[in-house]
Amino acid sequence: MKSDAEELMPRLLPVDFGASTEELDLNGPPRNPREYLRQVQLEASLCPEVVVAQIDPKKLKKKQTVNASVAGCHAAPVGFSPSLRWQQQQVSNFSDVRQSITKNRIHWSSQTLDDNVLMPKLTDEEGWKRFCLGETVYLGTSSCQTNAEPEPALDYSKIGFPPFLSIVSRLNQSTVLMLLEILISWFEEHEFAPQLGRWLYSLLACLEKPLIPEAHSCIRQLARRCSQLRSTLESQEDEKLPPLNLLICLVARYFEQNDLADQPE
């Protein structure tokens, strides 16, 4: 007759003990697979069906605490936050962009890059900053010409490479997150620049949902930095206000970090 345990959990590899069970030496190594299975089965039969753990009640009195960062965004100055309708429209546009990238990723990633597009190695943080931001922004050099003649062509080493679809479609998720972390870390200590905004928007458009914890923390850091910088602006006409509002909106509304969202005034 089968025991209750066998009824609930039938044996996947039934092995007959047979007449030689008493001859098994549990302290010695099994000599063949069949003997090994018989040994395991015999050991299991010797285990009690119910085990009660002895717990010291004094140890339960200690309270465990978990430190979690719940810092929100700086409140926008009066008149600096966007309307709810504007935020909803940006989320809709952003969703369309993400769908387009997903749909055409294979096509764009198969396109040949121009000879002057030399993507940095994965671990080259300084190289990525130069690549995305350009020397003018990254190094803080002047963009003024030393002579009156204009340059014959765009010098991407100075102005940075735009986030072309042929480039961002080649980035896997780990690279997307790595680039976000690099650029946001740079942003923490520098002013906003158009090159930075274009790359942040494009990388967010490539960031897959649901977010992993590292991505969750990363984009919240971005929204907080944008709100902090926004709080220092002196005019609603400042050209940095729309892109800062946009990035905060996408993090809060699209990626569902609702506690960071701008509320209608």
Side-chain angles (χ1 to χ4, degrees), residues 100-250:
S100 178
I101 291 176
T102 301
K103 181 179 179 181
N104 299 291
R105 179 178 295 277
I106 296 177
H107 167 73
W108 284 110
S109 62
S110 65
Q111 299 302 301
T112 303
L113 297 175
D114 292 340
D115 294 337
N116 64 332
V117 182
L118 300 176
M119 297 175 65
K121 294 181 179 179
L122 184 61
T123 56
D124 185 4
E125 291 191 12
E126 301 304 310
W128 280 110
K129 292 174 187 176
R130 289 174 181 269
F131 183 85
C132 298
L133 304 176
E135 293 178 358
T136 301
V137 172
Y138 172 56
L139 299 177
T141 57
S142 174
S143 58
C144 296
Q145 299 294 326
T146 57
N147 52 52
E149 296 182 3
E151 292 188 350
L154 291 175
D155 187 348
Y156 286 120
S157 65
K158 290 185 178 180
I159 66 173
F161 284 91
F164 296 125
L165 284 172
S166 56
I167 293 177
V168 296
S169 295
R170 284 174 158 78
L171 307 178
N172 58 30
Q173 280 301 291
S174 61
T175 306
V176 168
L177 180 56
M178 180 206 68
L179 269 180
L180 274 173
E181 291 174 342
I182 290 174
L183 294 179
I184 293 172
S185 178
W186 182 90
F187 185 31
E188 287 285 348
E189 301 177 358
H190 298 83
E191 288 296 315
F192 184 84
Q195 293 93 323
L196 175 67
R198 287 191 288 267
W199 269 97
L200 290 175
Y201 184 93
S202 300
L203 292 171
L204 289 177
C206 296
L207 190 62
E208 293 180 356
K209 294 175 70 176
L211 299 177
I212 62 173
E214 292 82 359
H216 178 275
S217 174
C218 184
I219 65 171
R220 288 181 65 86
Q221 181 184 356
L222 170 60
R224 286 194 293 266
R225 171 55 179 158
C226 288
S227 69
Q228 184 274 328
L229 185 56
R230 180 179 63 181
S231 69
T232 67
L233 301 181
E234 298 181 354
S235 170
Q236 298 178 27
E237 304 303 318
D238 194 306
E239 62 182 8
K240 293 190 290 293
L241 180 58
L244 292 176
N245 278 340
L246 175 59
L247 292 171
I248 295 171
C249 168
L250 296 180

Side-chain angles (χ1 to χ4, degrees), residues 68-74 216 220-221 223-225 227 257 259-260:
S69 175
V70 293
C73 286
H74 288 255
H216 178 275
R220 288 181 65 86
Q221 181 184 356
R224 286 194 293 266
R225 171 55 179 158
S227 69
Q257 307 302 303
D259 61 306
L260 304 181

